[in-house]
Amino acid sequence: MKRALLFFLFLSIQFTSAQTVLDSLTKFPVSYATISFGNGNGIFADDEGKFVFTKKLYPDIDSLFISALGYKDISISTTNLPKELFMVQEADVLDEVVLGFKRSRKFKIEKLKPYLDDDYYNCWLPTIESEIAVYFPKTTEKDQELASVTFPIALESRDWTKRKRANSDKKKFSTLFKVKIYNNKDGLPGKPLTLETIVFRATERNGDAFTLNLDNYNLYVPKNGFFVSLQVLGYTDKKGKLLPNKKYKEIQSPSGVVKIPTNFRPLLPFTNEIDTKRTFIKRVFINGNKWIMFEKGNGFKSSLLDKELYNYGMGIELKTYKDE
């Protein structure tokens, strides 16, 4: 009975207090906008641009910083927060466009394999405040198009002594991820190569990896390469609808309550089988934070670095077009 009452209380808060992020011109929802609290925490809007923020839920937050692909960032006070928040389109975001002509062009497929691992201790634990990007160079002077990306994933097991997949307990989960494709600006992720929102849902049924088909996005590879990034948005319901997940655990310490980011499944295996360091990390909920390479000496404390696991081993498939 107590659990049922809490559930209905949560539903009443959700439906009476939801805010919606909208395009100022079209009045259409801005899907999966980032709502930063400016303190290292935040939340996301869902596919309909809705999110839930109340002073009861977040009493210490006085400002929200909202961002989304193709829009100007906005900052707004949480005092008398309106139900509808409007974002202005940013016309000059795509300053680099690589054109290609697909009609009747012959191509060959080039594959760069993903690096898979089912060892929990070799995995990055996805948290909502971090975005991971991997660099891929252009491998030829010919036109190349990004056809797909394969994201290695690892499933948790209750019995850590049994590492074989057949013995693994595949506990149910349904997690939504956001994918971005960036150009290369001075060796770091720069501006996006597409303003379309790209998301996918991973479950325990996907096994060791999830392959995302990008054929319809016309993503031609720039001369100096590109970055693919991955960011967890949170858990979903059975239909793939983003749930209003709690973004941190509250742990009582001698100095008071400490907020620790919540980890989401599946886990992301890192590898030492790649010669160069090409994985970069950004804390997305710290306003104005910059991309930095995932390596020792850059302010990270990670057991992955201690084991010299520097890279998240994404795989890609490219279409290399023949000269005609």
Side-chain angles (χ1 to χ4, degrees):
M1 175 64 72
K2 183 178 179 181
R3 186 175 295 180
L5 289 173
L6 289 173
F7 176 74
F8 285 114
L9 177 61
F10 174 77
L11 284 182
S12 65
I13 292 175
Q14 181 178 0
F15 289 117
T16 60
S17 304
Q19 285 77 29
T20 306
V21 184
L22 300 171
D23 185 299
S24 63
L25 291 177
T26 67
K27 305 302 185 290
F28 290 158
V30 178
S31 300
Y32 307 115
T34 300
I35 321 299
S36 171
F37 298 163
N39 65 351
N41 292 303
I43 53 180
F44 291 101
D46 64 13
D47 58 315
E48 297 177 342
K50 295 184 182 299
F51 69 95
V52 176
F53 181 93
T54 68
K55 279 293 188 180
K56 188 172 184 179
L57 290 172
Y58 307 102
D60 56 338
I61 305 302
D62 56 16
S63 296
L64 300 181
F65 305 91
I66 304 177
S67 61
L69 275 177
Y71 293 90
K72 295 180 180 179
D73 294 351
I74 59 175
S75 174
I76 189 167
S77 170
T78 58
T79 303
N80 299 320
L81 190 66
K83 295 294 184 183
E84 295 182 336
L85 305 170
F86 295 96
M87 301 194 75
V88 177
Q89 293 182 18
E90 192 170 26
D92 61 346
V93 172
L94 290 176
D95 61 352
E96 178 179 354
V97 177
V98 182
L99 298 177
F101 301 94
K102 300 177 69 172
R103 183 172 57 187
S104 301
R105 294 188 74 191
K106 295 181 180 180
F107 60 85
K108 68 176 182 179
I109 296 294
E110 180 178 349
K111 296 182 179 180
L112 301 178
K113 69 172 185 176
Y115 294 85
L116 309 179
D117 194 341
D118 63 356
D119 189 337
Y120 171 88
Y121 297 104
N122 290 344
C123 290
W124 178 276
L125 309 182
T127 55
I128 278 179
E129 88 282 1
S130 294
E131 183 178 354
I132 300 175
V134 177
Y135 171 69
F136 294 96
K138 195 173 190 298
T139 61
T140 176
E141 293 183 359
K142 296 180 180 179
D143 289 343
Q144 288 185 301
E145 183 183 5
L146 181 59
S148 68
V149 180
T150 298
F151 300 94
I153 59 179
L155 306 179
E156 284 188 85
S157 172
R158 289 175 184 167
D159 186 351
W160 300 118
T161 64
K162 296 180 180 179
R163 295 295 180 184
K164 292 183 180 179
R165 196 175 311 146
N167 295 326
S168 170
D169 183 3
K170 298 179 181 178
K171 293 179 286 182
K172 290 185 177 180
F173 61 87
S174 179
T175 304
L176 196 68
F177 288 93
K178 182 191 289 186
V179 176
K180 296 179 185 177
I181 317 295
Y182 296 103
N183 71 4
N184 177 6
K185 183 179 180 182
D186 301 325
L188 295 172
K191 291 189 176 182
L193 293 177
T194 177
L195 297 184
E196 296 186 59
T197 300
I198 305 174
V199 298
F200 71 87
R201 181 165 64 111
T203 73
E204 72 283 351
R205 297 178 182 177
N206 295 119
D208 291 335
F210 182 95
T211 297
L212 178 66
N213 190 326
L214 297 172
D215 257 339
N216 296 327
Y217 291 92
N218 298 323
L219 292 166
Y220 282 80
V221 179
K223 292 181 179 180
N224 59 349
F226 64 98
F227 291 82
V228 180
S229 84
L230 188 65
Q231 180 183 7
V232 64
L233 298 182
Y235 288 135
T236 79
D237 62 17
K238 293 181 179 179
K239 296 182 179 180
K241 185 79 171 178
L242 187 65
L243 296 172
N245 304 285
K246 194 169 182 63
K247 305 306 183 250
Y248 50 79
K249 307 175 203 174
E250 294 182 349
I251 306 296
Q252 185 67 44
S253 72
S255 58
V257 176
V258 178
K259 294 179 180 179
I260 300 176
T262 301
N263 299 326
F264 289 80
R265 297 165 49 236
L267 312 178
L268 307 179
F270 271 50
T271 181
N272 58 5
E273 297 183 43
I274 299 174
D275 293 336
T276 58
K277 297 172 184 176
R278 51 186 180 91
T279 296
F280 296 76
I281 305 293
K282 180 173 70 170
R283 294 282 304 280
V284 298
F285 285 135
I286 296 180
N287 198 36
N289 205 321
K290 306 297 183 184
W291 286 100
I292 59 175
M293 182 177 287
F294 185 67
E295 65 175 346
K296 296 177 182 177
N298 273 350
F300 290 110
K301 292 182 179 179
S302 171
S303 61
L304 297 175
L305 293 177
D306 295 338
K307 292 188 286 186
E308 298 188 345
L309 299 171
Y310 294 107
N311 287 299
Y312 176 45
M314 288 184 196
I316 61 170
E317 183 175 278
L318 298 169
K319 292 181 179 178
T320 299
Y321 287 93
K322 296 182 179 180
D323 293 329
E324 296 179 359

